[in-house]
Coordinates of all heavy atoms in Angstrom, one line a residue:
M28 N 50.7 -30.6 13.7 CA 49.4 -30.7 13.0 C 48.2 -30.8 14.0 O 48.3 -31.4 15.1 CB 49.4 -32.0 12.2 CG 48.1 -32.2 11.5 SD 48.2 -33.1 9.9 CE 49.6 -32.4 9.1
D29 N 47.2 -30.1 13.7 CA 46.0 -30.1 14.5 C 45.1 -31.3 14.3 O 44.4 -31.4 13.3 CB 45.2 -28.8 14.2 CG 43.9 -28.7 15.1 OD1 43.7 -29.6 15.9 OD2 43.3 -27.6 15.1
T30 N 45.3 -32.3 15.1 CA 44.6 -33.6 14.9 C 43.2 -33.6 15.2 O 42.4 -34.4 14.7 CB 45.3 -34.8 15.7 OG1 45.5 -34.4 17.0 CG2 46.7 -35.1 15.1
T31 N 42.7 -32.6 16.1 CA 41.3 -32.5 16.4 C 40.5 -32.2 15.1 O 39.5 -32.8 14.8 CB 41.0 -31.5 17.5 OG1 42.0 -31.7 18.5 CG2 39.6 -31.5 18.0
K32 N 41.0 -31.1 14.4 CA 40.4 -30.7 13.2 C 40.4 -31.8 12.1 O 39.5 -32.0 11.4 CB 41.2 -29.5 12.6 CG 40.3 -28.3 12.3 CD 41.1 -27.0 12.2 CE 41.1 -26.6 10.7 NZ 41.9 -25.4 10.6
L33 N 41.6 -32.5 12.1 CA 41.8 -33.6 11.2 C 40.8 -34.7 11.4 O 40.2 -35.3 10.5 CB 43.2 -34.0 11.3 CG 43.7 -35.0 10.3 CD1 43.8 -34.3 8.9 CD2 45.1 -35.5 10.6
T34 N 40.6 -35.1 12.7 CA 39.7 -36.1 13.1 C 38.3 -35.8 12.6 O 37.6 -36.6 12.0 CB 39.8 -36.4 14.6 OG1 41.1 -36.6 15.0 CG2 38.9 -37.6 15.0
D35 N 37.9 -34.5 12.8 CA 36.6 -34.0 12.4 C 36.4 -34.2 10.9 O 35.4 -34.7 10.4 CB 36.4 -32.5 12.7 CG 36.2 -32.3 14.2 OD1 36.0 -33.3 14.9 OD2 36.2 -31.2 14.6
K36 N 37.5 -33.8 10.2 CA 37.4 -33.9 8.7 C 37.3 -35.3 8.2 O 36.5 -35.6 7.4 CB 38.8 -33.3 8.2 CG 38.7 -32.6 6.9 CD 40.0 -31.8 6.6 CE 40.1 -31.3 5.2 NZ 41.3 -30.5 5.1
L37 N 38.1 -36.2 8.8 CA 38.0 -37.6 8.5 C 36.7 -38.2 8.9 O 36.1 -39.0 8.1 CB 39.2 -38.4 9.2 CG 40.6 -38.1 8.6 CD1 41.6 -38.7 9.5 CD2 40.7 -38.8 7.2
Q38 N 36.2 -37.9 10.0 CA 34.9 -38.4 10.4 C 33.8 -37.9 9.5 O 32.9 -38.7 9.2 CB 34.6 -38.1 11.9 CG 35.1 -39.4 12.7 CD 35.3 -39.0 14.2 OE1 35.2 -37.9 14.6 NE2 35.8 -40.0 14.9
A39 N 33.8 -36.7 9.1 CA 32.8 -36.1 8.2 C 32.9 -36.9 6.9 O 31.9 -37.3 6.3 CB 33.1 -34.7 7.9
R40 N 34.1 -37.2 6.4 CA 34.3 -37.9 5.2 C 33.7 -39.4 5.3 O 33.1 -39.9 4.4 CB 35.8 -38.0 4.8 CG 36.1 -38.7 3.5 CD 35.5 -37.9 2.3 NE 35.6 -38.7 1.1 CZ 34.6 -38.8 0.2 NH1 33.5 -38.2 0.3 NH2 34.7 -39.6 -0.9
R41 N 34.0 -39.9 6.5 CA 33.5 -41.3 6.8 C 32.0 -41.4 6.7 O 31.4 -42.3 6.2 CB 34.0 -41.6 8.2 CG 34.0 -43.1 8.5 CD 34.5 -43.4 9.9 NE 34.6 -44.8 10.0 CZ 33.6 -45.6 10.1 NH1 32.4 -45.2 10.1 NH2 33.9 -46.9 10.1
I42 N 31.3 -40.3 7.3 CA 29.8 -40.3 7.2 C 29.4 -40.2 5.8 O 28.4 -40.9 5.4 CB 29.3 -39.1 8.1 CG1 29.6 -39.5 9.6 CG2 27.8 -38.9 7.8 CD1 29.5 -38.3 10.5
E43 N 30.0 -39.3 5.0 CA 29.7 -39.2 3.6 C 29.8 -40.5 2.9 O 28.9 -40.9 2.1 CB 30.7 -38.2 2.9 CG 30.2 -36.8 2.7 CD 31.3 -36.0 2.2 OE1 32.0 -36.4 1.2 OE2 31.4 -34.9 2.7
I44 N 30.9 -41.2 3.1 CA 31.1 -42.5 2.4 C 30.0 -43.5 2.8 O 29.4 -44.2 2.0 CB 32.5 -43.1 2.7 CG1 33.6 -42.1 2.2 CG2 32.7 -44.5 2.1 CD1 35.0 -42.5 2.6
T45 N 29.8 -43.6 4.1 CA 28.8 -44.5 4.7 C 27.4 -44.2 4.1 O 26.7 -45.2 3.6 CB 28.7 -44.4 6.2 OG1 30.1 -44.4 6.7 CG2 28.0 -45.6 6.8
E46 N 27.1 -43.0 4.0 CA 25.8 -42.6 3.4 C 25.7 -43.0 1.9 O 24.6 -43.5 1.5 CB 25.5 -41.1 3.5 CG 25.0 -40.8 5.0 CD 24.9 -39.3 5.2 OE1 25.3 -38.5 4.3 OE2 24.4 -38.9 6.3
Q47 N 26.7 -42.8 1.2 CA 26.7 -43.1 -0.2 C 26.6 -44.6 -0.4 O 25.9 -45.1 -1.3 CB 28.0 -42.6 -0.9 CG 27.9 -41.2 -1.2 CD 29.3 -40.7 -1.8 OE1 29.9 -41.3 -2.6 NE2 29.6 -39.4 -1.5
M48 N 27.3 -45.4 0.5 CA 27.2 -46.8 0.4 C 25.8 -47.3 0.8 O 25.3 -48.2 0.1 CB 28.2 -47.5 1.4 CG 29.6 -47.5 0.8 SD 30.9 -48.0 2.1 CE 30.6 -49.7 2.1
E49 N 25.2 -46.7 1.7 CA 23.9 -47.0 2.1 C 22.9 -46.7 1.0 O 21.9 -47.5 0.8 CB 23.4 -46.3 3.4 CG 23.8 -47.1 4.6 CD 23.7 -46.2 5.9 OE1 23.1 -45.2 5.9 OE2 24.2 -46.7 6.9
S50 N 23.1 -45.6 0.3 CA 22.1 -45.3 -0.8 C 22.3 -46.3 -1.9 O 21.3 -46.6 -2.6 CB 22.2 -43.8 -1.2 OG 23.4 -43.7 -2.0
L51 N 23.4 -46.8 -2.1 CA 23.6 -47.8 -3.1 C 22.9 -49.1 -2.7 O 22.3 -49.8 -3.5 CB 25.1 -48.1 -3.4 CG 25.9 -47.1 -4.2 CD1 27.3 -47.4 -4.2 CD2 25.3 -47.0 -5.6
V52 N 23.0 -49.4 -1.4 CA 22.4 -50.6 -0.9 C 20.9 -50.5 -1.0 O 20.2 -51.4 -1.5 CB 22.8 -50.9 0.5 CG1 22.0 -52.1 1.1 CG2 24.3 -51.3 0.6
S53 N 20.4 -49.3 -0.6 CA 18.9 -49.2 -0.5 C 18.4 -49.0 -2.0 O 17.2 -49.3 -2.2 CB 18.5 -48.0 0.3 OG 19.0 -46.8 -0.2
G54 N 19.2 -48.6 -2.9 CA 18.8 -48.5 -4.3 C 18.7 -49.9 -5.0 O 18.3 -50.0 -6.1
G55 N 19.1 -50.9 -4.2 CA 19.0 -52.2 -4.7 C 20.2 -52.7 -5.5 O 20.2 -53.8 -6.0
A56 N 21.2 -51.8 -5.7 CA 22.4 -52.2 -6.5 C 23.2 -53.3 -5.7 O 23.7 -54.2 -6.3 CB 23.3 -51.0 -6.7
V57 N 23.3 -53.1 -4.4 CA 24.0 -54.0 -3.6 C 23.2 -54.6 -2.5 O 22.6 -53.8 -1.8 CB 25.3 -53.3 -3.0 CG1 26.1 -54.3 -2.2 CG2 26.1 -52.6 -4.1
S58 N 23.1 -55.9 -2.4 CA 22.3 -56.4 -1.3 C 23.3 -56.6 -0.2 O 24.3 -57.3 -0.3 CB 21.7 -57.8 -1.8 OG 21.5 -58.6 -0.6
S59 N 22.9 -56.1 1.0 CA 23.8 -56.1 2.1 C 24.0 -57.6 2.5 O 25.1 -57.9 3.1 CB 23.3 -55.3 3.2 OG 21.9 -55.5 3.5
G60 N 23.0 -58.4 2.3 CA 23.1 -59.8 2.7 C 24.1 -60.6 1.8 O 24.8 -61.4 2.3
E61 N 24.0 -60.3 0.6 CA 24.8 -61.0 -0.4 C 26.2 -60.5 -0.6 O 27.0 -61.1 -1.4 CB 24.1 -61.0 -1.8 CG 22.8 -61.8 -1.9 CD 22.0 -61.5 -3.1 OE1 22.7 -61.2 -4.1 OE2 20.8 -61.5 -3.1
G62 N 26.5 -59.4 0.0 CA 27.8 -58.8 -0.2 C 27.9 -58.3 -1.6 O 27.0 -57.7 -2.1
L63 N 29.0 -58.5 -2.2 CA 29.3 -57.9 -3.5 C 29.1 -58.9 -4.7 O 29.5 -58.7 -5.8 CB 30.7 -57.3 -3.6 CG 30.9 -56.1 -2.7 CD1 32.3 -55.6 -2.8 CD2 30.0 -54.9 -3.2
A64 N 28.5 -60.0 -4.4 CA 28.2 -61.0 -5.4 C 27.4 -60.5 -6.6 O 26.4 -59.8 -6.3 CB 27.6 -62.3 -4.9
F65 N 27.8 -60.6 -7.8 CA 27.1 -60.1 -8.9 C 26.3 -61.3 -9.6 O 26.9 -62.2 -10.2 CB 28.0 -59.5 -9.9 CG 27.2 -58.9 -11.1 CD1 26.5 -57.8 -11.0 CD2 27.3 -59.6 -12.3 CE1 25.8 -57.3 -12.1 CE2 26.6 -59.1 -13.4 CZ 25.8 -58.0 -13.3
T66 N 25.1 -61.3 -9.4 CA 24.3 -62.3 -10.1 C 23.3 -61.5 -11.0 O 22.6 -60.6 -10.6 CB 23.5 -63.2 -9.1 OG1 22.8 -62.3 -8.2 CG2 24.4 -64.1 -8.4
E67 N 23.1 -62.0 -12.2 CA 22.2 -61.3 -13.1 C 20.8 -61.9 -13.0 O 20.6 -63.1 -13.3 CB 22.7 -61.5 -14.5 CG 22.1 -60.5 -15.5 CD 22.8 -60.5 -16.8 OE1 24.0 -60.9 -16.9 OE2 22.2 -60.2 -17.8
P68 N 19.9 -61.1 -12.5 CA 18.5 -61.7 -12.4 C 17.9 -62.0 -13.7 O 18.3 -61.3 -14.7 CB 17.8 -60.5 -11.7 CG 18.7 -59.6 -11.3 CD 20.0 -59.7 -12.1
V69 N 17.1 -63.0 -13.8 CA 16.4 -63.4 -15.0 C 15.6 -62.2 -15.5 O 14.9 -61.6 -14.7 CB 15.5 -64.6 -14.8 CG1 14.8 -65.0 -16.1 CG2 16.3 -65.7 -14.2
G70 N 15.7 -61.9 -16.8 CA 14.9 -60.8 -17.3 C 15.5 -59.4 -17.2 O 15.0 -58.5 -17.8
E71 N 16.6 -59.3 -16.5 CA 17.2 -58.0 -16.4 C 17.9 -57.7 -17.7 O 18.6 -58.5 -18.3 CB 18.3 -58.0 -15.3 CG 18.8 -56.6 -15.0 CD 19.8 -56.5 -13.8 OE1 20.7 -57.3 -13.8 OE2 19.5 -55.8 -12.9
D72 N 17.6 -56.5 -18.3 CA 18.2 -56.2 -19.6 C 19.7 -55.7 -19.4 O 20.1 -55.5 -18.3 CB 17.4 -55.2 -20.4 CG 17.3 -53.8 -19.7 OD1 18.2 -53.4 -19.1 OD2 16.2 -53.2 -19.9
R73 N 20.3 -55.6 -20.5 CA 21.8 -55.4 -20.5 C 22.1 -54.0 -19.9 O 23.0 -53.9 -19.1 CB 22.3 -55.4 -22.0 CG 23.7 -55.7 -22.0 CD 24.3 -55.8 -23.5 NE 25.7 -55.5 -23.5 CZ 26.6 -56.2 -22.9 NH1 26.3 -57.4 -22.4 NH2 27.9 -55.9 -22.9
A74 N 21.3 -53.0 -20.2 CA 21.6 -51.7 -19.7 C 21.5 -51.7 -18.1 O 22.3 -51.1 -17.4 CB 20.6 -50.7 -20.2
A75 N 20.5 -52.4 -17.6 CA 20.3 -52.5 -16.2 C 21.4 -53.2 -15.6 O 21.9 -52.8 -14.5 CB 19.0 -53.1 -15.9
A76 N 21.9 -54.3 -16.2 CA 23.0 -55.1 -15.7 C 24.3 -54.2 -15.7 O 25.0 -54.3 -14.7 CB 23.2 -56.3 -16.6
V77 N 24.5 -53.4 -16.7 CA 25.7 -52.6 -16.8 C 25.6 -51.5 -15.7 O 26.6 -51.3 -15.0 CB 25.8 -51.9 -18.2 CG1 26.8 -50.8 -18.2 CG2 26.2 -52.9 -19.2
Q78 N 24.4 -51.0 -15.5 CA 24.3 -50.0 -14.4 C 24.6 -50.6 -13.1 O 25.2 -49.9 -12.2 CB 22.9 -49.4 -14.5 CG 22.7 -48.1 -13.7 CD 21.3 -47.7 -13.4 OE1 20.4 -48.5 -13.6 NE2 21.1 -46.6 -12.9
R79 N 24.1 -51.8 -12.9 CA 24.3 -52.4 -11.6 C 25.8 -52.7 -11.4 O 26.3 -52.6 -10.3 CB 23.5 -53.7 -11.6 CG 22.6 -53.8 -10.3 CD 21.5 -54.8 -10.6 NE 22.0 -56.2 -10.7 CZ 22.2 -57.0 -9.6 NH1 21.9 -56.5 -8.4 NH2 22.6 -58.2 -9.8
M80 N 26.5 -53.1 -12.4 CA 27.9 -53.4 -12.4 C 28.6 -52.1 -11.9 O 29.5 -52.1 -11.1 CB 28.5 -53.8 -13.7 CG 28.3 -55.2 -14.0 SD 29.3 -56.2 -12.9 CE 30.5 -56.8 -14.0
T81 N 28.2 -50.9 -12.6 CA 28.8 -49.7 -12.2 C 28.6 -49.3 -10.8 O 29.5 -48.9 -10.1 CB 28.2 -48.5 -13.1 OG1 28.3 -49.0 -14.5 CG2 28.9 -47.2 -13.0
Q82 N 27.4 -49.6 -10.3 CA 27.1 -49.3 -8.9 C 27.9 -50.2 -7.9 O 28.3 -49.8 -6.9 CB 25.6 -49.4 -8.6 CG 24.9 -48.2 -9.3 CD 23.4 -48.4 -9.2 OE1 22.8 -49.5 -9.2 NE2 22.7 -47.3 -9.1
L83 N 28.1 -51.4 -8.4 CA 28.9 -52.4 -7.6 C 30.3 -51.9 -7.5 O 30.9 -51.9 -6.5 CB 28.8 -53.8 -8.1 CG 27.6 -54.6 -7.8 CD1 27.6 -55.9 -8.6 CD2 27.5 -54.9 -6.3
N84 N 30.8 -51.4 -8.6 CA 32.2 -50.9 -8.7 C 32.3 -49.7 -7.7 O 33.3 -49.5 -7.0 CB 32.6 -50.5 -10.1 CG 32.9 -51.7 -10.9 OD1 33.3 -52.7 -10.4 ND2 32.8 -51.5 -12.2
M85 N 31.3 -48.8 -7.8 CA 31.3 -47.6 -6.9 C 31.3 -48.0 -5.5 O 32.0 -47.5 -4.6 CB 30.0 -46.8 -7.2 CG 30.1 -45.8 -8.3 SD 28.5 -45.0 -8.6 CE 28.2 -44.1 -7.1
H86 N 30.5 -49.1 -5.2 CA 30.4 -49.6 -3.8 C 31.8 -50.1 -3.4 O 32.2 -49.8 -2.3 CB 29.4 -50.7 -3.7 CG 29.0 -51.1 -2.3 ND1 29.7 -52.0 -1.6 CD2 28.0 -50.6 -1.5 CE1 29.2 -52.1 -0.4 NE2 28.2 -51.3 -0.3
S87 N 32.5 -50.9 -4.2 CA 33.8 -51.4 -3.9 C 34.8 -50.2 -3.6 O 35.6 -50.3 -2.7 CB 34.4 -52.3 -4.9 OG 33.4 -53.1 -5.5
G88 N 34.7 -49.2 -4.5 CA 35.6 -48.0 -4.4 C 35.3 -47.3 -3.0 O 36.3 -47.0 -2.4
L89 N 34.1 -47.2 -2.7 CA 33.7 -46.5 -1.4 C 34.2 -47.3 -0.2 O 34.7 -46.8 0.7 CB 32.2 -46.3 -1.3 CG 31.6 -45.2 -2.2 CD1 30.1 -45.3 -2.3 CD2 32.0 -43.8 -1.7
E90 N 34.1 -48.6 -0.4 CA 34.5 -49.5 0.7 C 36.0 -49.4 0.9 O 36.5 -49.3 2.0 CB 34.2 -51.0 0.3 CG 33.9 -51.9 1.5 CD 33.2 -53.1 1.1 OE1 33.7 -53.7 0.1 OE2 32.2 -53.5 1.7
A91 N 36.8 -49.3 -0.2 CA 38.2 -49.2 -0.1 C 38.6 -47.8 0.5 O 39.5 -47.8 1.4 CB 38.8 -49.3 -1.5
E92 N 37.8 -46.8 0.1 CA 38.1 -45.5 0.7 C 37.8 -45.4 2.2 O 38.6 -44.8 3.0 CB 37.3 -44.4 0.0 CG 37.9 -43.0 0.1 CD 37.1 -41.9 -0.5 OE1 36.3 -42.2 -1.4 OE2 37.2 -40.8 -0.1
L93 N 36.7 -46.1 2.6 CA 36.4 -46.2 4.0 C 37.5 -46.8 4.8 O 37.8 -46.4 5.9 CB 35.1 -47.0 4.1 CG 34.4 -47.0 5.5 CD1 33.9 -45.6 5.9 CD2 33.2 -47.9 5.5
G94 N 38.1 -47.9 4.2 CA 39.2 -48.5 4.9 C 40.4 -47.6 5.1 O 41.0 -47.6 6.1
T95 N 40.6 -46.7 4.1 CA 41.7 -45.8 4.2 C 41.5 -44.7 5.2 O 42.4 -44.4 6.0 CB 41.9 -45.1 2.8 OG1 41.8 -46.1 1.8 CG2 43.3 -44.5 2.7
V96 N 40.2 -44.2 5.2 CA 39.8 -43.2 6.3 C 40.0 -43.8 7.7 O 40.5 -43.2 8.6 CB 38.4 -42.7 6.0 CG1 37.9 -41.9 7.2 CG2 38.4 -41.9 4.7
D97 N 39.5 -45.1 7.8 CA 39.6 -45.7 9.1 C 41.1 -45.9 9.5 O 41.4 -45.8 10.7 CB 38.9 -47.1 9.1 CG 37.4 -47.0 9.3 OD1 37.0 -45.9 9.7 OD2 36.7 -47.9 9.0
A98 N 41.9 -46.3 8.5 CA 43.3 -46.5 8.8 C 44.0 -45.2 9.3 O 44.8 -45.1 10.2 CB 44.1 -47.0 7.6
A99 N 43.6 -44.1 8.6 CA 44.1 -42.7 9.0 C 43.7 -42.4 10.4 O 44.4 -41.9 11.3 CB 43.7 -41.7 8.0
L100 N 42.4 -42.7 10.8 CA 41.9 -42.4 12.1 C 42.6 -43.2 13.2 O 42.9 -42.7 14.2 CB 40.4 -42.7 12.2 CG 39.4 -41.6 11.5 CD1 38.0 -42.1 11.4 CD2 39.4 -40.3 12.4
A101 N 42.9 -44.5 12.8 CA 43.6 -45.3 13.8 C 45.0 -44.8 14.0 O 45.5 -44.8 15.1 CB 43.7 -46.8 13.2
K102 N 45.6 -44.3 12.9 CA 47.0 -43.7 13.0 C 47.0 -42.5 13.9 O 48.0 -42.2 14.7 CB 47.5 -43.4 11.7 CG 48.1 -44.6 11.0 CD 48.4 -44.3 9.5 CE 49.2 -45.4 8.9 NZ 50.6 -45.4 9.4
I103 N 46.0 -41.6 13.8 CA 45.9 -40.4 14.6 C 45.9 -40.9 16.1 O 46.6 -40.3 16.9 CB 44.6 -39.6 14.3 CG1 44.8 -39.0 12.9 CG2 44.4 -38.5 15.3 CD1 43.5 -38.4 12.4
E104 N 45.1 -41.9 16.4 CA 44.9 -42.4 17.7 C 46.3 -43.0 18.2 O 46.7 -42.8 19.4 CB 43.9 -43.5 17.8 CG 42.9 -43.3 19.0 CD 41.6 -43.9 18.7 OE1 41.5 -45.1 18.9 OE2 40.7 -43.2 18.3
E105 N 47.0 -43.7 17.4 CA 48.3 -44.2 17.7 C 49.4 -43.2 17.8 O 50.5 -43.5 18.4 CB 48.7 -45.2 16.7 CG 48.0 -46.6 16.7 CD 48.4 -47.4 15.4 OE1 49.3 -47.0 14.7 OE2 47.7 -48.4 15.2
G106 N 49.1 -42.1 17.2 CA 50.1 -41.0 17.2 C 51.2 -41.2 16.0 O 52.2 -40.6 16.1
T107 N 50.8 -42.1 15.1 CA 51.8 -42.3 14.0 C 51.3 -41.7 12.7 O 51.8 -41.9 11.6 CB 52.0 -43.8 13.7 OG1 50.7 -44.4 13.5 CG2 52.6 -44.5 14.9
Y108 N 50.2 -40.8 12.8 CA 49.7 -40.2 11.6 C 50.7 -39.3 11.0 O 51.4 -38.6 11.7 CB 48.4 -39.4 12.0 CG 47.8 -38.7 10.8 CD1 47.0 -39.4 9.9 CD2 48.1 -37.4 10.5 CE1 46.4 -38.8 8.8 CE2 47.5 -36.7 9.4 CZ 46.7 -37.4 8.5 OH 46.2 -36.8 7.5
G109 N 50.7 -39.3 9.6 CA 51.6 -38.4 8.9 C 52.9 -39.1 8.4 O 53.7 -38.5 7.7
N110 N 53.1 -40.4 8.9 CA 54.2 -41.1 8.4 C 53.8 -42.2 7.4 O 52.7 -42.8 7.6 CB 54.9 -41.8 9.6 CG 55.6 -40.9 10.5 OD1 56.0 -39.8 10.1 ND2 55.7 -41.2 11.8
C111 N 54.6 -42.3 6.4 CA 54.2 -43.3 5.3 C 54.2 -44.7 5.9 O 55.0 -45.2 6.6 CB 55.3 -43.2 4.2 SG 55.1 -44.4 3.0
E112 N 53.1 -45.4 5.5 CA 52.8 -46.8 5.8 C 54.0 -47.7 5.3 O 54.3 -48.7 5.9 CB 51.5 -47.2 5.2 CG 51.0 -48.5 5.5 CD 50.1 -48.5 6.7 OE1 50.5 -48.2 7.8 OE2 48.9 -48.8 6.5
I113 N 54.5 -47.3 4.2 CA 55.5 -48.2 3.5 C 56.9 -47.9 3.9 O 57.7 -48.8 4.3 CB 55.2 -48.2 2.0 CG1 53.8 -48.7 1.7 CG2 56.3 -49.0 1.2 CD1 53.2 -48.2 0.4
C114 N 57.4 -46.6 3.7 CA 58.8 -46.3 4.0 C 59.0 -45.7 5.3 O 60.2 -45.6 5.7 CB 59.3 -45.5 2.8 SG 58.7 -43.8 2.8
G115 N 58.0 -45.2 6.0 CA 58.1 -44.6 7.3 C 58.5 -43.2 7.3 O 58.6 -42.5 8.4
E116 N 58.7 -42.6 6.1 CA 59.1 -41.2 6.0 C 57.8 -40.3 6.2 O 56.7 -40.8 6.1 CB 59.7 -40.9 4.6 CG 61.0 -41.6 4.3 CD 62.2 -41.1 5.2 OE1 62.2 -39.8 5.3 OE2 62.9 -41.9 5.6
A117 N 58.0 -39.0 6.5 CA 56.9 -38.1 6.6 C 56.2 -38.0 5.3 O 56.9 -37.9 4.2 CB 57.4 -36.8 7.1
I118 N 54.9 -38.0 5.3 CA 54.1 -37.9 4.1 C 54.2 -36.5 3.5 O 54.2 -36.3 2.3 CB 52.7 -38.3 4.3 CG1 52.6 -39.9 4.6 CG2 51.8 -38.0 3.1 CD1 51.3 -40.4 5.1
G119 N 54.3 -35.5 4.4 CA 54.4 -34.1 3.9 C 53.1 -33.4 4.1 O 52.0 -33.9 3.7
D120 N 53.1 -32.2 4.6 CA 51.9 -31.4 4.9 C 51.1 -31.1 3.7 O 49.9 -31.1 3.7 CB 52.3 -30.1 5.6 CG 52.7 -30.4 7.1 OD1 52.5 -31.5 7.5 OD2 53.2 -29.5 7.7
A121 N 51.7 -30.8 2.5 CA 51.0 -30.4 1.3 C 50.1 -31.6 0.9 O 48.9 -31.4 0.5 CB 51.9 -30.0 0.2
R122 N 50.7 -32.8 0.9 CA 50.0 -34.0 0.5 C 48.8 -34.3 1.5 O 47.7 -34.6 1.1 CB 50.9 -35.2 0.4 CG 50.3 -36.4 -0.1 CD 51.3 -37.5 -0.5 NE 50.8 -38.8 -0.5 CZ 50.0 -39.3 -1.5 NH1 49.6 -38.5 -2.5 NH2 49.6 -40.5 -1.4
L123 N 49.1 -34.1 2.8 CA 48.1 -34.4 3.8 C 47.0 -33.4 3.7 O 45.8 -33.7 4.0 CB 48.7 -34.4 5.2 CG 49.6 -35.7 5.4 CD1 50.2 -35.5 6.8 CD2 48.8 -37.0 5.4
E124 N 47.3 -32.2 3.3 CA 46.3 -31.1 3.2 C 45.3 -31.5 2.1 O 44.1 -31.3 2.2 CB 47.1 -29.8 2.9 CG 46.2 -28.5 2.9 CD 45.8 -28.2 4.4 OE1 46.6 -28.3 5.3 OE2 44.6 -27.8 4.5
A125 N 45.9 -32.0 1.0 CA 45.0 -32.3 -0.2 C 44.3 -33.6 0.1 O 43.2 -33.8 -0.4 CB 45.9 -32.4 -1.4
L126 N 45.0 -34.6 0.7 CA 44.5 -35.9 0.9 C 44.7 -36.3 2.4 O 45.6 -37.0 2.7 CB 45.2 -36.9 0.1 CG 44.9 -37.1 -1.4 CD1 45.9 -38.1 -2.0 CD2 43.5 -37.7 -1.5
P127 N 43.8 -35.9 3.3 CA 44.0 -36.1 4.7 C 44.0 -37.6 5.1 O 44.5 -37.9 6.1 CB 42.8 -35.4 5.4 CG 42.2 -34.6 4.3 CD 42.5 -35.1 3.0
W128 N 43.5 -38.4 4.2 CA 43.4 -39.9 4.5 C 44.6 -40.6 3.9 O 44.6 -41.8 3.9 CB 42.1 -40.5 4.1 CG 41.6 -39.9 2.8 CD1 42.0 -40.4 1.5 CD2 40.7 -38.9 2.6 NE1 41.3 -39.6 0.6 CE2 40.6 -38.7 1.2 CE3 40.0 -38.0 3.5 CZ2 39.7 -37.7 0.7 CZ3 39.2 -37.0 2.9 CH2 39.1 -36.9 1.5
A129 N 45.6 -39.8 3.3 CA 46.7 -40.5 2.7 C 47.5 -41.2 3.8 O 47.8 -40.7 4.8 CB 47.6 -39.5 2.0
I130 N 47.8 -42.5 3.5 CA 48.6 -43.3 4.5 C 50.0 -43.7 3.9 O 50.8 -44.3 4.6 CB 47.8 -44.5 5.0 CG1 47.4 -45.4 3.9 CG2 46.7 -44.1 5.9 CD1 46.9 -46.7 4.3
S131 N 50.3 -43.2 2.7 CA 51.6 -43.5 2.1 C 52.1 -42.2 1.4 O 51.3 -41.4 1.0 CB 51.6 -44.6 1.2 OG 50.7 -44.4 0.1
C132 N 53.4 -42.0 1.4 CA 53.9 -40.8 0.8 C 53.8 -40.9 -0.8 O 53.4 -41.9 -1.3 CB 55.4 -40.6 1.2 SG 56.5 -41.8 0.4
I133 N 54.1 -39.8 -1.4 CA 53.8 -39.7 -2.8 C 54.7 -40.7 -3.6 O 54.3 -41.2 -4.6 CB 54.1 -38.2 -3.3 CG1 53.3 -37.9 -4.6 CG2 55.5 -37.8 -3.4 CD1 52.7 -36.5 -4.7
N134 N 55.9 -41.0 -3.1 CA 56.8 -41.9 -3.8 C 56.3 -43.4 -3.7 O 56.5 -44.2 -4.6 CB 58.2 -41.9 -3.1 CG 58.9 -40.5 -3.4 OD1 58.7 -39.9 -4.5 ND2 59.6 -40.0 -2.4
C135 N 55.6 -43.7 -2.6 CA 55.2 -45.1 -2.4 C 53.8 -45.3 -2.9 O 53.4 -46.5 -3.0 CB 55.2 -45.4 -0.9 SG 56.9 -45.4 -0.2
S136 N 53.0 -44.3 -3.1 CA 51.6 -44.5 -3.5 C 51.5 -44.9 -4.9 O 52.3 -44.6 -5.7 CB 50.8 -43.3 -3.2 OG 51.2 -42.2 -4.0
Ligands
ZN30 ZN1 56.8 -43.8 1.5

């Protein structure tokens, strides 16, 4: 497997995720200081509260994905990339092609 290309791909994805997270933070959905605490400001209407909840969920999802991308990058560095985190078997090229940040095989995911 060409890990140079793979690293580029993962790093590009990492930048995308970071940018999306930043835009959520700068949009006011998530305060970087407060972390992910959800507090309903006085006077905020229900629709705004729901929208904020959605953005917080998006932020958590992005954060989780960022963790996975980082884990994949660490594995490339260690030379263990492509092996399942759980059972240790090869993840398989087809799966890695579709999901370069996959860290577990299809059976374990
Ligand atoms: Zn597995």
Side-chain angles (χ1 to χ4, degrees):
M28 178 152 317
D29 184 353
T30 50
T31 311
K32 232 166 113 182
L33 191 66
T34 306
D35 284 353
K36 213 167 170 180
L37 286 166
Q38 264 159 2
R40 183 67 192 137
R41 200 179 188 288
I42 290 163
E43 256 174 47
I44 296 170
T45 313
E46 279 172 355
Q47 281 176 37
M48 282 171 76
E49 269 167 16
S50 78
L51 284 173
V52 171
S53 64
V57 182
S58 154
S59 48
E61 288 166 33
L63 291 175
F65 179 75
T66 49
E67 198 171 334
V69 181
E71 188 175 53
D72 64 32
R73 201 176 157 70
V77 167
Q78 195 195 10
R79 233 158 68 87
M80 276 295 250
T81 309
Q82 288 173 329
L83 280 173
N84 284 337
M85 275 173 64
H86 192 274
S87 321
L89 288 167
E90 208 165 47
E92 200 182 340
L93 190 65
T95 320
V96 170
D97 278 344
L100 282 166
K102 279 170 169 290
I103 293 169
E104 225 153 84
E105 285 170 10
T107 57
Y108 180 81
N110 292 333
C111 173
E112 183 94 296
I113 298 155
C114 69
E116 296 292 318
I118 293 171
D120 286 350
R122 180 165 162 78
L123 289 175
E124 191 68 40
L126 278 173
W128 40 85
I130 54 168
S131 58
C132 73
I133 203 145
N134 294 324
C135 296
S136 64

